[in-house]
Amino acid sequence: MVEKVPHAGGILKNYVAGEFVVGDKTFANINPVDGSEINKVSEATADLVNAAVESARAALEGPWGKMTLDQRRALLHKVADGIDARFDDFVAAEMADTGKSYVQASTIDIPRGSANFRIFADMVTGQSAECFQTPTPDGRGALNYAVNKPLGVVAVIAPWNLPLLLMTWKLAPALAAGNTVIAKPSEETPATATLLAEVMHEAGIPAGVYNLVHGFGPDSAGEFLTTHKGVDAVTFTGESSTGSAIMKAAADGVKALSFELGGKNAGIIFEDCDFEEAVNGTARSVFTNGGQVCLCTERLYVQRSIFDKFVNALKDKAENLKVGWPLDEDTDMGPVISHKHRDKVVAYYESAKEDGATVITGGDVPVFGDARDHGAFVEPTILTGLSEEARIVKEEVFGPVCHIAPFDTEEEAVALANNSDYGLAATVWTTNLQRAHRVAQQMEVGIAWVNTWYLRDLRTPFGGVKLSGVGREGGVHSLNFYSEPTNICIKL
Ligand code: NAD
Ligand code: 6OD
């Protein structure tokens, strides 16, 4: 379906100690547009994961550990240039694995892959450390300063929704800070991490610095990494329940953990909003990537005076979304990631109907009459009329769906938005400047957007509270996680 997908019909290999390696077992990599097999993937065995950890440890001591910041910076820029040079390959691979539209893959996912390497390569050269002059009773004093060292061997476990973007969002700062890494992409989206191994190889990244192991979570590469004695830190993006399992697995080794987890993000639309901007922005925040962005809005609270008008306007937007072939220029939304995930999303649609929802639009699986009927499509869906206790209002669906409820006062809207076990992102739509600051600051989240959504500055703190994560990524927050500050105290 997608033309020129690298390795189509072949096998995606692991990359360990600077070599591309095939193990005994393989699993199929499926295109969610039509259910066809793109290629096979070599699943890493426990022995191969051991070899990856060993080579990563050796590389810490070897050329990577001995390089100057500038040498590492130059190599990471070469990696960014290498991604750009194979831009079309990366776009085709990401589209085939995920079914996302050409527009999205080529304007968001892949450009951010190289941007992540550039920004962290440059930022680390400006990383500072503390210094204190400490008085002592004998009057001589002491000088206390810190030096940043790498954490060591970092396991990077990534999800399937923004595969290259989220993988490189972790790899780039980890490598820039001098660590060596073992990357484990999602079993659903193994391709771009494999292309990245080819780019690393060609760029001359020393053997063992970037290792890639393919596989699943439990009893596979994911668990082998999180329980491995030779892994110093685990950085993970994915479901909150997986985060909890990894936290338990990593507990015995007391590993450093960075978690970006799920969300059940609220959008608050006040009657004093710029109506058109609010409708357009909300449509983007609900339906981008088929609702499969952790920051997507699944709960909307709209002030009662504009409720009906807003619901109708959003319905109009949803019904005008073109759901279809990813390569068509006017396609807004492809399939969700897999048949399994489609079934999960549809089960949520059904539970909403059983709970008495009014289906404003969607609520089903579209029928195309062609190969896409073997894919994993769901309809963009808007619901109203449910209580705050309904499953679809409480739990993360990770699909193109939102529930809209009315509110009367600002206090009520704040309370409704914060009434969640999750705390990743919130969006507030208002033209009242004081209200914008007041409400945004009351949101129990890591990221609150006002009159926009998913506007990124890569230097800002990114992460969630409650079930949505542990720690922050972005700018110095990433560099701090991947660095081990060591205090040097000198008696003067
Ligand atoms: P997932 O948790 O199922 O899988 C993520 C990764 O973890 C995959 O590579 C998987 O193989 C691995 N894994 C699964 N079980 C494991 C285990 N026991 N030990 C080690 N590794 C294991 O998540 P997903 O379905 O790929 O992604 C969707 C979820 O990710 C959603 O909940 C979404 O909100 C969340 N997400 C959060 C953010 C964020 O920044 N907060 C970003 C993207 C996605
Ligand atoms: O844009 C980013 O840096 C980022 N971490 C996005 C996460 C999206 C979640 O799906």
Side-chain angles (χ1 to χ4, degrees):
M1 174 6 281
V2 176
E3 283 169 345
K4 293 198 218 131
V5 178
H7 305 293
I11 184 157
L12 298 180
K13 298 176 184 166
N14 302 280
Y15 181 66
V16 172
E19 297 195 358
F20 290 91
V21 192
V22 184
D24 299 338
K25 284 205 288 188
T26 58
F27 59 92
N29 183 21
I30 301 295
N31 186 329
V33 173
D34 57 8
S36 61
E37 183 174 304
I38 308 162
N39 41 33
K40 299 258 186 245
V41 187
S42 170
E43 183 179 353
T45 58
D47 284 347
L48 193 58
V49 172
N50 288 340
V53 175
E54 212 171 287
S55 79
R57 291 226 77 83
L60 273 178
E61 305 302 323
W64 195 243
K66 294 193 169 64
M67 274 182 195
T68 63
L69 275 183
D70 272 348
Q71 287 171 321
R72 283 207 300 264
R73 178 175 171 273
L75 275 176
L76 294 177
H77 271 276
K78 262 182 108 172
V79 171
D81 295 344
I83 295 173
D84 289 350
R86 294 188 63 186
F87 188 81
D88 291 345
D89 281 352
F90 275 91
V91 169
E94 204 76 302
M95 286 175 67
D97 274 8
T98 60
K100 65 179 69 195
S101 70
Y102 178 80
V103 174
Q104 180 171 329
S106 63
T107 61
I108 300 179
D109 293 72
I110 306 308
R112 263 295 296 281
S114 47
N116 285 338
F117 279 104
R118 290 199 177 95
I119 187 165
F120 285 112
D122 291 345
M123 192 174 273
V124 78
T125 56
Q127 192 184 17
S128 61
E130 299 150 298
C131 181
F132 298 100
Q133 286 184 316
T134 310
T136 57
D138 63 6
R140 284 163 59 193
L143 193 60
N144 269 295
Y145 66 93
V147 288
N148 285 313
K149 296 183 183 173
L151 271 177
V153 174
V154 180
V156 180
I157 303 182
W160 45 256
N161 60 330
L162 303 168
L164 184 73
L165 188 160
L166 289 173
M167 178 64 90
T168 54
W169 178 237
K170 296 170 179 302
L171 291 175
L175 293 173
N179 300 279
T180 56
V181 298
I182 302 156
K184 197 207 83 64
S186 166
E187 56 275 26
E188 305 283 3
T189 52
T192 45
T194 311
L195 294 185
L196 186 61
E198 296 170 6
V199 166
M200 294 268 183
H201 198 79
E202 281 156 25
I205 296 286
V209 173
Y210 174 80
N211 300 276
L212 165 71
V213 291
H214 289 296
F216 304 82
D219 202 27
S220 185
E223 187 180 323
F224 301 153
L225 284 171
T226 56
T227 51
H228 202 293
K229 278 199 165 70
V231 168
D232 300 295
V234 179
T235 174
F236 166 74
T237 295
E239 283 192 21
S240 300
S241 57
T242 311
S244 169
I246 291 177
M247 202 173 234
K248 287 177 190 125
D252 283 345
V254 199
K255 299 184 195 313
L257 298 175
S258 165
F259 283 173
E260 300 295 348
L261 307 176
K264 187 71 190 176
N265 310 305
I268 306 180
I269 296 103
F270 287 99
E271 61 190 3
D272 58 17
C273 68
D274 177 320
F275 190 81
E276 211 178 312
E277 263 197 10
V279 172
N280 288 335
T282 303
R284 211 165 66 78
S285 81
V286 174
F287 299 117
T288 294
N289 206 38
Q292 301 165 115
V293 180
C294 57
L295 310 156
C296 277
T297 315
E298 292 191 2
R299 296 180 296 138
L300 289 175
Y301 300 103
V302 180
Q303 202 148 18
R304 200 174 298 276
S305 55
I306 59 164
F307 183 80
D308 290 341
K309 186 176 164 199
F310 187 90
V311 171
N312 284 330
L314 197 66
K315 172 179 191 277
D316 211 42
K317 288 277 165 206
E319 290 178 352
N320 277 304
L321 286 175
K322 177 147 181 246
V323 181
W325 298 110
L327 269 179
D328 287 353
E329 267 177 30
D330 55 349
T331 289
D332 298 298
M333 215 181 92
V336 295
I337 190 66
S338 63
H339 293 104
K340 186 172 159 213
H341 192 55
R342 177 200 59 191
D343 294 347
K344 177 180 159 186
V345 174
V346 170
Y348 271 110
Y349 289 179
E350 293 309 314
S351 85
K353 291 175 199 165
E354 280 158 24
D355 286 341
T358 302
V359 181
I360 299 295
T361 189
D364 230 317
V365 169
V367 178
F368 298 98
D370 56 33
R372 288 171 292 182
D373 292 340
H374 304 294
F377 288 86
V378 292
E379 289 177 343
T381 295
I382 299 174
L383 307 164
T384 59
L386 288 172
S387 90
E388 289 297 295
E389 296 312 309
R391 267 188 69 206
I392 204 166
V393 180
K394 290 199 92 61
E395 298 173 16
E396 181 187 49
V397 180
F398 221 54
V401 58
C402 67
H403 176 258
I404 319 183
F407 70 87
D408 293 300
T409 65
E410 185 179 306
E411 293 69 27
E412 186 190 358
V414 168
L416 285 165
N418 286 340
N419 180 24
S420 174
D421 293 337
Y422 293 96
L424 186 57
T427 312
V428 181
W429 298 90
T430 177
T431 52
N432 177 329
L433 190 60
Q434 295 189 2
R435 167 177 275 162
H437 287 282
R438 192 168 58 230
V439 173
Q441 289 183 25
Q442 287 179 81
M443 293 295 96
E444 293 171 4
V445 294
I447 309 143
W449 278 292
V450 177
N451 297 332
T452 185
W453 174 77
Y454 200 15
L455 193 166
R456 294 283 289 118
D457 178 326
L458 305 188
R459 297 166 298 184
T460 57
F462 184 100
V465 302
K466 305 187 202 172
L467 282 185
S468 293
V470 177
R472 292 290 179 276
E473 299 187 301
V476 293
H477 304 278
S478 293
L479 294 179
N480 287 344
F481 175 75
Y482 295 109
S483 305
E484 197 78 270
T486 303
N487 179 212
I488 313 291
C489 176
I490 305 207
K491 180 80 189 280
L492 298 174

Short mmCIF file of all heavy atoms in Angstrom, two decimals, residues 112 161-162 165-166 169 292-295 398 454 456 458 462 473, ligand 2:
data_model
loop_
_atom_site.label_atom_id
_atom_site.label_comp_id
_atom_site.label_asym_id
_atom_site.label_seq_id
_atom_site.Cartn_x
_atom_site.Cartn_y
_atom_site.Cartn_z
N ARG A 112 10.70 16.00 13.95
CA ARG A 112 11.07 16.06 15.37
C ARG A 112 12.17 15.04 15.70
O ARG A 112 12.92 15.23 16.66
CB ARG A 112 9.84 15.79 16.24
CG ARG A 112 9.12 17.02 16.77
CD ARG A 112 9.92 17.85 17.74
NE ARG A 112 10.25 17.16 18.96
CZ ARG A 112 9.44 16.97 19.98
NH1 ARG A 112 8.22 17.46 19.95
NH2 ARG A 112 9.84 16.32 21.05
N ASN A 161 2.72 5.31 19.40
CA ASN A 161 1.89 6.37 18.80
C ASN A 161 2.69 7.42 18.03
O ASN A 161 2.24 7.89 16.99
CB ASN A 161 1.00 7.02 19.87
CG ASN A 161 1.79 7.64 20.98
OD1 ASN A 161 2.88 7.19 21.32
ND2 ASN A 161 1.26 8.69 21.56
N LEU A 162 3.87 7.78 18.56
CA LEU A 162 4.77 8.70 17.85
C LEU A 162 6.15 8.04 17.92
O LEU A 162 7.02 8.48 18.68
CB LEU A 162 4.79 10.08 18.54
CG LEU A 162 3.45 10.80 18.71
CD1 LEU A 162 3.56 11.99 19.65
CD2 LEU A 162 2.92 11.29 17.36
N LEU A 165 9.56 10.05 17.11
CA LEU A 165 9.55 11.28 17.92
C LEU A 165 9.82 10.97 19.39
O LEU A 165 10.68 11.58 20.04
CB LEU A 165 8.20 11.98 17.74
CG LEU A 165 8.01 13.39 18.32
CD1 LEU A 165 6.84 14.08 17.65
CD2 LEU A 165 7.81 13.41 19.83
N LEU A 166 9.10 9.99 19.93
CA LEU A 166 9.22 9.72 21.36
C LEU A 166 10.47 8.93 21.70
O LEU A 166 11.04 9.08 22.78
CB LEU A 166 7.96 9.01 21.88
CG LEU A 166 6.74 9.93 21.92
CD1 LEU A 166 5.48 9.16 22.27
CD2 LEU A 166 6.94 11.07 22.91
N TRP A 169 13.29 11.51 21.57
CA TRP A 169 13.10 12.46 22.66
C TRP A 169 13.84 11.99 23.92
O TRP A 169 14.18 12.77 24.80
CB TRP A 169 11.60 12.59 22.90
CG TRP A 169 11.10 13.47 23.99
CD1 TRP A 169 10.30 13.10 25.03
CD2 TRP A 169 11.29 14.89 24.13
NE1 TRP A 169 10.00 14.18 25.81
CE2 TRP A 169 10.59 15.30 25.28
CE3 TRP A 169 12.00 15.85 23.39
CZ2 TRP A 169 10.57 16.61 25.73
CZ3 TRP A 169 11.98 17.17 23.84
CH2 TRP A 169 11.27 17.53 24.98
N GLN A 292 -4.61 9.37 19.20
CA GLN A 292 -3.54 8.57 19.83
C GLN A 292 -2.31 9.42 20.12
O GLN A 292 -1.20 9.11 19.68
CB GLN A 292 -3.19 7.40 18.93
CG GLN A 292 -4.36 6.47 18.64
CD GLN A 292 -4.08 5.55 17.48
OE1 GLN A 292 -4.01 4.34 17.64
NE2 GLN A 292 -3.87 6.09 16.29
N VAL A 293 -2.53 10.52 20.79
CA VAL A 293 -1.44 11.32 21.36
C VAL A 293 -1.79 11.42 22.83
O VAL A 293 -2.94 11.71 23.18
CB VAL A 293 -1.35 12.72 20.71
CG1 VAL A 293 -0.21 13.52 21.32
CG2 VAL A 293 -1.18 12.62 19.20
N CYS A 294 -0.81 11.19 23.68
CA CYS A 294 -1.11 11.17 25.12
C CYS A 294 -1.73 12.49 25.58
O CYS A 294 -2.39 12.54 26.60
CB CYS A 294 0.17 10.91 25.90
SG CYS A 294 1.44 12.13 25.54
N LEU A 295 -1.51 13.56 24.79
CA LEU A 295 -1.99 14.89 25.17
C LEU A 295 -3.39 15.18 24.64
O LEU A 295 -3.95 16.24 24.91
CB LEU A 295 -1.02 15.94 24.61
CG LEU A 295 0.45 15.67 24.93
CD1 LEU A 295 1.37 16.34 23.93
CD2 LEU A 295 0.76 16.15 26.34
N PHE A 398 -7.62 6.49 24.27
CA PHE A 398 -6.54 6.61 23.29
C PHE A 398 -7.08 6.35 21.88
O PHE A 398 -6.52 5.60 21.09
CB PHE A 398 -5.41 5.63 23.63
CG PHE A 398 -4.03 6.24 23.42
CD1 PHE A 398 -3.68 7.44 24.02
CD2 PHE A 398 -3.10 5.62 22.61
CE1 PHE A 398 -2.43 8.01 23.82
CE2 PHE A 398 -1.83 6.17 22.39
CZ PHE A 398 -1.51 7.36 23.01
N TYR A 454 -0.87 21.46 22.02
CA TYR A 454 0.34 20.81 21.51
C TYR A 454 1.24 21.80 20.78
O TYR A 454 1.76 21.51 19.71
CB TYR A 454 -0.01 19.60 20.63
CG TYR A 454 1.15 18.61 20.47
CD1 TYR A 454 2.26 18.65 21.31
CD2 TYR A 454 1.14 17.63 19.48
CE1 TYR A 454 3.31 17.78 21.17
CE2 TYR A 454 2.19 16.73 19.33
CZ TYR A 454 3.28 16.82 20.17
OH TYR A 454 4.33 15.94 20.03
N ARG A 456 4.70 23.24 21.07
CA ARG A 456 5.86 22.76 21.83
C ARG A 456 7.05 23.69 21.75
O ARG A 456 7.35 24.25 20.69
CB ARG A 456 6.26 21.37 21.30
CG ARG A 456 5.22 20.32 21.53
CD ARG A 456 5.20 19.82 22.98
NE ARG A 456 6.37 19.03 23.28
CZ ARG A 456 7.26 19.38 24.22
NH1 ARG A 456 7.13 20.48 24.92
NH2 ARG A 456 8.30 18.60 24.45
N LEU A 458 10.86 22.84 23.02
CA LEU A 458 11.52 21.64 23.54
C LEU A 458 12.34 21.90 24.80
O LEU A 458 12.87 20.98 25.42
CB LEU A 458 12.38 20.99 22.46
CG LEU A 458 11.65 20.67 21.16
CD1 LEU A 458 12.53 19.86 20.22
CD2 LEU A 458 10.34 19.93 21.41
N PHE A 462 8.24 18.87 30.51
CA PHE A 462 7.18 18.06 29.89
C PHE A 462 6.98 16.80 30.72
O PHE A 462 7.92 16.04 30.94
CB PHE A 462 7.59 17.67 28.46
CG PHE A 462 6.53 16.93 27.73
CD1 PHE A 462 5.70 17.58 26.82
CD2 PHE A 462 6.32 15.57 27.96
CE1 PHE A 462 4.69 16.88 26.16
CE2 PHE A 462 5.32 14.87 27.31
CZ PHE A 462 4.50 15.54 26.41
N GLU A 473 10.61 15.68 31.33
CA GLU A 473 11.54 15.67 30.22
C GLU A 473 11.57 17.08 29.63
O GLU A 473 10.80 17.94 30.04
CB GLU A 473 11.09 14.66 29.15
CG GLU A 473 11.05 13.24 29.69
CD GLU A 473 10.78 12.18 28.63
OE1 GLU A 473 9.73 12.26 27.97
OE2 GLU A 473 11.61 11.28 28.47
O1 6OD B 2 6.29 16.52 21.90
C1 6OD B 2 6.87 15.89 22.78
O2 6OD B 2 8.02 16.18 23.15
C2 6OD B 2 6.21 14.76 23.43
N1 6OD B 2 6.92 14.15 24.39
C3 6OD B 2 4.98 14.37 23.06
C4 6OD B 2 4.28 13.30 23.64
C5 6OD B 2 3.15 12.90 23.07
C6 6OD B 2 2.41 11.79 23.57
O3 6OD B 2 1.85 10.99 22.88
#
